[in-house]
Amino acid sequence: MILEFERPVKELEARIADLHRLAGPSAELQGEISRLEDALESAKRRIYSNLSPYQRVQVARHPDRPNFRAYRDALADDFYELSGDRAHGEDPAVRGGFARLSRSGHNVMLIGHDKGADVKSRVKGNFGMAHPEGYRKVRRLYELAGRFGMPIVTLVDTPGAFAGRQAEERGQAWAISEDLMALARSPVPVICMVIGEGGSGGALAMCAGDYVGMLENSYLSVIAPEACASIIFRDPGRAAEAAAAMKITARDLKEQKIVDEVLPEPLGGAHNEPDAAIEAVGETLGLVLSELSDVDPQTLMKTRYERYRRIGAHAAAGQDPALS
Amino acid sequence: MILEFERPVKELEARIADLHRLAGPSAELQGEISRLEDALESAKRRIYSNLSPYQRVQVARHPDRPNFRAYRDALADDFYELSGDRAHGEDPAVRGGFARLSRSGHNVMLIGHDKGADVKSRVKGNFGMAHPEGYRKVRRLYELAGRFGMPIVTLVDTPGAFAGRQAEERGQAWAISEDLMALARSPVPVICMVIGEGGSGGALAMCAGDYVGMLENSYLSVIAPEACASIIFRDPGRAAEAAAAMKITARDLKEQKIVDEVLPEPLGGAHNEPDAAIEAVGETLGLVLSELSDVDPQTLMKTRYERYRRIGAHAAAGQDPALS
Amino acid sequence: MHRRREYSRSVPETESGLGPMDSVFTKCEKCGQPVYEKDLRARFNVCPHCEFHYPLSAPERVRLLLDAGSFEERDRGLVAADLLGFEGYAEKVEAARKKTGLDDAVLSGAGEIGGRRVAFAAMDFRFIGGSMGSVVGERVARAIEMAYADGLPLVIVSASGGARMFEGVYSLMQMAKTSVALSRYMEGSWPYVSVLTDPTFGGVTASFATAADVVIAEPGARIGFAGARVIEGTTKERLPEGFQTAEFQREHGMADRIVHRLALKGDLERLLGFVA
Amino acid sequence: MHRRREYSRSVPETESGLGPMDSVFTKCEKCGQPVYEKDLRARFNVCPHCEFHYPLSAPERVRLLLDAGSFEERDRGLVAADLLGFEGYAEKVEAARKKTGLDDAVLSGAGEIGGRRVAFAAMDFRFIGGSMGSVVGERVARAIEMAYADGLPLVIVSASGGARMFEGVYSLMQMAKTSVALSRYMEGSWPYVSVLTDPTFGGVTASFATAADVVIAEPGARIGFAGARVIEGTTKERLPEGFQTAEFQREHGMADRIVHRLALKGDLERLLGFVA
Ligand SMILES: [Zn+2]
Ligand SMILES: [Zn+2]
């Protein structure tokens, strides 16, 4: 899939490839090729370093973007998957289990939204939108991690909670709330990485911890930009505006002090160079884990309390608007 | 409904009533009436004090036997019912809530199997056989009681766990196991009263506590006598034999030190004089609650541990069979 | 078939919740019967004919549930800061403040219910659809912290259409904020009672409103995460009659009790008599 | 249609589980292919053609899962006391003891898995259908207590047709006994791994076998509370294909993993590497 704003880059790439083919071993077209390569480089830099918030949303949604499976396979020596909520079902939209990180050797409870690898697994995993049994499995895994003193690492990548009949029948609001409560009282480090989409309460159920990192082109939003536009502007076509207005990019959120760190992506986005993006996440994970591993549970929970307790955009009446 | 062995009694009662009608105000038939009344009294005594185990099972199952609703209404000033397992459903087969006992004034978490009052409510409550959501509601109430330091009182009256497809699909074994685990770690007094049927794991999920009382004609069994007979004797008709062999009556279980107390029923069984049976249970409840209310959580849990830890019919090889 | 109410229609424009302030009587949207405004008001917006529960404002909720004169409002004067500069938000807040006389979509403080002191918060759907922004999150969190510090039972009455999108991710984070506060409170053994009223959706339902010891819902109240119209739009599925009503939620195990509004104070008094 | 196996047919009469002890080869009940007894034995009763998992005896389970030579049996010599004098029970126990060489339907003790010391128990379906009587309850409880006292991971392999009716309520009470022991153990932070094999039903499933941190099931194993035939008899409902299989239970959220028997030791080693 080629995104609209990627088109100039892709066209240049195609032309360069054509010329290479035409030129063969001869040096005749080398001048032209060099010229185009320079143009490509500067087009990339121009386009990708000025992505609008909504363009970043599109990058975050790119089907070739490395997803949970890619991170799991690349970052963990071993992933011992656990399943089931012990009450209703097993939800493939979200996966979790014990993982040994190959880089740092840390044992963690690794949990992530699974957007799948192909049409079949995407459908099966409901495109990364969990059902209540998924949230309940996650809570079970949070509690297991706590029981074994093992840090929790979440990889967030979901369009959001699922607007579906069965999800409501089985109480998704209750299930999400239980996840948030479980995270609040977890005695182990909770490390959250937004690797793609961070949509609504569905994302938050896995994105409230002691460290929250976001890849440069990921987003975290209370509602999908399209839905926001259709409610507030009464026009889903104004999604780009809504995305900008809600300040949902990694950099915006770093500025709002809601996330700790923006992890840079390779030029062109993680889908253009998956290994580099995964490597960046893995490296950061190792550093954060090392830092948080020594913190005692009481301090962890107290710090986490204060972290979330302070987030808000409110002020005493008549005073300057400022973070409380 | 008249049970087979009640027939002589019922016949005598009917004849006495007839004579009363015939005699009217005259004294002519008084002699005959007196004679029959003596016969009735001795028939009652003879029959009811020698009930076989299986006859007691039939008394325990009698449709007119006072059930959860009767106890709740008679013993509690106020019953604040709570519902739902917060995951799947509300199971009317088992009810629970905060109750204030009128006699002793104790606040308790009162939980019981509800066999219903009429055909409709009996069917709705699945004849007192819980589904997994029922066991899960019960666990929630156990935990609430623990949270508020409120004693748990259970009224056990179920034919057993339900042999049904949906009960299996939703994991009734898992749900029962969670109830047992929750009872084991409950920091409050757990008082169980078997008021009718105590069938299998369905009963045990509400019948493992610091005090277990049984009404004289209630039973507690690992399997329904009919099912036992059909498996072991390959003949469901030999249920009476199975009932006797499994030693499932209140007195048997008192002897086996599995229950603490046998609560006597009015002559003819609780269904003949519901108020008296209910009163007996209420009085005992008050006494037991007063006794256990002062015990600290650690002692309660330790004593409960030892209580269940020691129950068993095993011996070191070559030694006299005896309770370990 | 039961006509599905639109949120916009059931937003009470007046204290009584129906009709313009100066009208003497109005027509019940549910049963079509004529209703005197003063009767409706006397019954806290419950139709005297069909017992339909209309939304109730937060101040009326205080009058309904707390012992007369016992309410002490806390944290008055906290207002939305519009840190994102979201187009039109400041005006919206200003208009809602004027209309309701409230700072935001929640009223919170301490009070008594049947002589028992409680920490109390009630949301108000008239204020931008009861949406949860930073002020709602902050006042709810402070009410929880007061309950924790003073060892009080906690009673929260919710009514919310969902998130306050104008506050972006700040709005989302109020779920985490209220959850950390509540999680600490629930380590103690004071009771938390949540009352769900029409409508309660979105982030409120997915955080503090459902994590209670006892969940009470008003009859007919629509409660859920995603709204019915959104679900029908997404899945093209026709939803069954009564979907997401209080009764539906109770049947699905999500609520303990359905309690008529006029019986609610008595019900809370009974409950607190057991656990407070 | 998949033919439903009868318990009686799948009771292994020999170590290998199929056919009389002296036969050289037998026919797989599942796929019909001829199988050499020694092949079956080498594969721990998994058919080399169709991978069907036949029941495995407790001693073979020890051989399968524990490091060679590491098993130390505990509580040998505990036997059923027949306190009820149930007709035929004493003879049944005696016959089962002779047939299996075991004291009762469980083998328990300490051992090592991949060099890690664990408390271990394995049930044996050959012994009166793996029914849970007092000896099973007592030995399982003692294994749990040993794990608690010594701070060891706990691994229990279940196989049970249900309760030991011959022991009446004593049998039922083993559920409570194992649950109190397990509840105390689970307050610590050692892992409990439950392995469910064909068949696991009744009181075992409704007590210790499901209350684990990690639940592993063997492929195709039938697991539940009430057996399929009982349910069909009670409800007259035709049960769907695959009802109560390990795969069914995993799909319903009840088990973490389905693990092939020949991969089970490796799987446990991986797991213990994380949590032991
Ligand atoms: Zn009306
Ligand atoms: Zn085969």
Side-chain angles (χ1 to χ4, degrees), chain B residues 78 80-81 83 86 140 147, chain C residues 188 190 213 253 256 267 270:
Chain B
D78 191 12
Y80 190 92
E81 186 162 358
S83 332
R86 299 289 184 275
R140 189 170 77 83
R147 189 163 139 60
Chain C
W190 312 287
D213 292 308
D256 286 286
D267 200 78
R270 279 173 65 201

Side-chain angles (χ1 to χ4, degrees), chain A residues 78-91 95 98-101 106-108 124 140-141 144 146-150, chain D residues 185-193 210 212-216 250-257 259 267-268 270-271 273-275:
Chain A
D78 190 12
F79 177 67
Y80 189 89
E81 186 162 358
L82 302 168
S83 331
D85 67 349
R86 298 292 184 271
H88 176 85
E90 156 59 13
D91 187 350
R95 295 189 185 274
F98 303 119
R100 183 168 301 112
L101 301 185
H106 286 106
N107 282 343
V108 302
K124 199 177 157 221
R140 189 170 79 82
L141 301 191
L144 266 190
R147 190 164 137 59
F148 297 125
M150 199 180 279
Chain D
Y185 174 78
M186 300 289 273
E187 282 163 20
S189 32
W190 312 287
Y192 167 33
V193 186
T210 50
D213 292 308
V214 177
V215 174
I216 297 173
R250 184 177 175 282
E251 201 172 308
H252 282 85
M254 305 300 164
D256 287 286
R257 300 165 73 84
V259 181
D267 201 77
L268 289 175
R270 278 174 65 202
L271 172 55
F274 281 111
V275 292

Side-chain angles (χ1 to χ4, degrees), chain C residues 28-33 35 47-52 54:
Chain C
C28 174
E29 284 181 20
K30 185 72 191 310
C31 68
Q33 296 284 313
V35 187
C47 172
H49 306 295
C50 70
E51 303 299 335
F52 185 81
Y54 288 95

Side-chain angles (χ1 to χ4, degrees), chain B residues 19-152:
Chain B
L19 287 178
H20 270 298
R21 204 160 352 94
L22 285 172
S26 91
E28 205 177 328
L29 297 168
Q30 281 315 325
E32 175 67 358
I33 289 174
S34 288
R35 202 185 57 73
L36 286 174
E37 277 172 342
D38 288 352
L40 173 64
E41 196 52 33
S42 75
K44 271 188 172 175
R45 208 164 293 279
R46 190 184 66 247
I47 291 171
Y48 291 125
S49 38
N50 291 294
L51 290 181
S52 75
Y54 195 54
Q55 286 171 333
R56 290 192 196 275
V57 169
Q58 290 168 286
V59 174
R61 289 173 179 167
H62 198 288
D64 298 335
R65 187 173 179 86
N67 65 16
F68 174 75
R69 294 177 182 215
Y71 287 91
R72 173 196 64 192
D73 296 345
L75 297 181
D77 281 340
D78 191 12
F79 178 66
Y80 190 92
E81 186 162 358
L82 301 168
S83 332
D85 67 346
R86 299 289 184 275
H88 175 85
E90 156 59 12
D91 187 350
V94 57
R95 295 189 184 275
F98 302 119
R100 183 168 301 111
L101 300 185
S102 25
R103 172 186 275 273
S104 62
H106 286 106
N107 283 343
V108 302
M109 178 62 82
L110 180 67
I111 305 173
H113 298 98
D114 183 9
K115 283 189 169 178
D118 48 31
V119 174
K120 206 182 139 193
S121 58
R122 277 165 190 275
V123 170
K124 200 178 154 220
N126 200 27
F127 306 95
M129 289 179 283
H131 272 78
E133 49 274 26
Y135 298 112
R136 293 192 176 109
K137 169 172 68 178
V138 166
R139 185 189 42 152
R140 189 170 77 83
L141 301 192
Y142 289 161
E143 283 165 3
L144 266 190
R147 189 163 139 60
F148 297 126
M150 199 179 280
I152 294 165

Side-chain angles (χ1 to χ4, degrees), chain D residues 102-182:
Chain D
L102 300 174
D103 288 335
D104 208 296
V106 74
L107 198 56
S108 59
E112 288 180 14
I113 295 179
R116 284 171 216 275
R117 195 170 166 77
V118 301
F120 182 84
M123 297 187 69
D124 197 309
F125 192 71
R126 297 171 307 161
F127 201 105
I128 317 185
S131 53
M132 174 155 70
S134 299
V135 176
V136 169
E138 183 66 21
R139 285 187 70 162
V140 167
R142 289 194 192 179
I144 296 168
E145 285 176 334
M146 174 181 67
Y148 179 76
D150 297 355
L152 297 178
L154 174 66
V155 177
I156 302 182
V157 183
S158 294
S160 177
R164 181 85 48 98
M165 289 168 246
F166 309 95
E167 294 188 17
V169 183
Y170 286 116
S171 162
L172 182 67
M173 289 296 150
Q174 303 313 306
M175 293 169 66
K177 176 192 281 187
T178 53
S179 293
V180 294
L182 197 52

